[in-house]
Amino acid sequence: MTECGAFLTTSSDLTPAQEQVQARYLVRSMVEGLAAGNTRQFWFAAPPLHDDGVWFGLLDRDYGPLPAYSAFATLTALLGAAHFVGPVPQLPTGVRGFRFDDGCGHQVSVLWAAARHTRVSLPGVAYDIMGRRIERSGKAVVVSPDPVYVVSREAASIARDRGAADALRRPDPGSLSPAEHIVLSQRYAARNAAPGKDDGDAPPPHGYRLGRRTRMSLDVYNFGGQGRYVTVAAESMGAGWSVRPVSVADTRVWVPAGGRVGVEFSVEAGRSVRRRVDRRLAFGARLDGGGEVPGSVALVHLK
């Protein structure tokens, strides 16, 4: 799922009630998407983004985490590999529940209620939406509109009951390679911002507005656990466009674990380029020793 998010209208910052809505929706949409078979799912967007009166970001204006950010961290930590096993059976009316295998021998059930608080009997250790352990007596946990997690060691037996024990022993098909831990992001000056952004419904052109010669940066992020040498390159644009590195020597960069390095490029529009016609600008990269990095694609046009 390339994009999911919550449209929260505000003139400034989110209210506490809106923050709660955002956190709830993030967890529910991610869980439902994974249960539906999405290999990966992405939230729009993490940085503090306020667009046409709608707040999308998981960070506030000072880049502090909003509750949804912490809820996302909890979801990631508890679900692990997030192999969907099936729905939680025999739930009370109005309660939804999804079971996952975390890849480490645990079954993780995610539950929430549509409206009223409801008691559900389920063995295991319970955690709230922010990852705090819930103290409870017996096997009952109170389920509300805020999702809760119940973690137990029953994943293997449930998989066998479904005739899928081999699935627990297979490598995770969704696990990321070293190259997939590298992320490319095109960065442009504010003056090159796309025109007429009106909730995504504006007529074309949609791309970044460039002059005859525009400097931009390709940011290379490393979300892996060790530093990597990465060599970046731009694809041919054609139609009178050209894109070249400012310094060829700088196209092979060392990106430390958890770090970011920018590579400068110059994008030029020849005399034959028509104005206000979007053109695809794509970058790719490879790791030293092999490994294709997922590309970065944007639309640009001559303003």
Side-chain angles (χ1 to χ4, degrees), residues 115 121 123 143 192 219 225 240 271 274 293:
S121 293
V143 179
N192 301 126
D219 288 346
R271 293 189 177 277
R274 295 170 55 195
V293 174

Coordinates of all heavy atoms in Angstrom, one line a residue, residues 115 121 123 143 192 219 225 240 271 274 293:
A115 N -17.0 1.0 19.7 CA -17.4 2.1 20.5 C -17.2 1.8 22.0 O -16.3 2.3 22.6 CB -18.9 2.4 20.3
S121 N -11.7 -12.3 26.9 CA -10.8 -13.3 27.5 C -9.8 -13.8 26.5 O -10.2 -14.4 25.5 CB -11.6 -14.5 28.1 OG -12.4 -14.0 29.2
P123 N -5.5 -15.3 26.6 CA -4.3 -15.6 27.3 C -3.1 -14.8 26.8 O -3.1 -14.5 25.6 CB -4.1 -17.1 27.2 CG -4.7 -17.4 25.9 CD -5.9 -16.5 25.8
V143 N -11.2 -4.1 26.0 CA -11.0 -3.6 24.7 C -11.8 -2.3 24.4 O -13.0 -2.3 24.8 CB -11.3 -4.7 23.7 CG1 -11.0 -4.2 22.2 CG2 -10.5 -5.9 23.9
N192 N 11.1 25.8 -6.3 CA 10.8 24.8 -7.3 C 9.5 24.0 -7.0 O 9.2 23.0 -7.7 CB 12.0 23.8 -7.6 CG 13.2 24.6 -8.0 OD1 14.3 24.4 -7.3 ND2 13.1 25.4 -9.0
D219 N 19.3 12.9 -1.9 CA 19.6 12.5 -0.6 C 19.6 11.0 -0.5 O 18.7 10.3 -1.0 CB 18.6 13.0 0.5 CG 18.8 14.5 0.7 OD1 19.9 15.1 0.2 OD2 17.9 15.1 1.3
G225 N 21.9 -1.4 9.5 CA 22.7 -1.4 10.7 C 24.2 -1.2 10.5 O 25.0 -1.2 11.5
G240 N 15.1 16.5 -24.8 CA 15.8 17.8 -24.6 C 16.3 18.1 -23.2 O 16.9 19.1 -23.0
R271 N 16.8 23.9 -25.5 CA 15.9 24.8 -26.2 C 14.6 24.1 -26.8 O 13.6 24.7 -27.0 CB 16.6 25.5 -27.3 CG 17.7 26.4 -26.8 CD 18.3 27.3 -27.9 NE 19.3 28.2 -27.4 CZ 19.0 29.4 -26.9 NH1 17.8 29.8 -26.8 NH2 20.0 30.2 -26.5
R274 N 9.5 21.8 -24.1 CA 8.3 22.6 -24.1 C 8.0 22.9 -22.6 O 8.2 22.1 -21.7 CB 7.1 21.8 -24.7 CG 7.3 21.5 -26.1 CD 6.2 20.4 -26.6 NE 4.9 20.9 -26.2 CZ 3.8 20.1 -26.2 NH1 3.9 18.8 -26.5 NH2 2.6 20.5 -25.9
V293 N 19.5 -0.7 -5.4 CA 18.7 0.2 -4.5 C 17.4 0.6 -5.1 O 17.4 0.9 -6.3 CB 19.5 1.4 -4.1 CG1 18.7 2.4 -3.3 CG2 20.8 1.0 -3.4

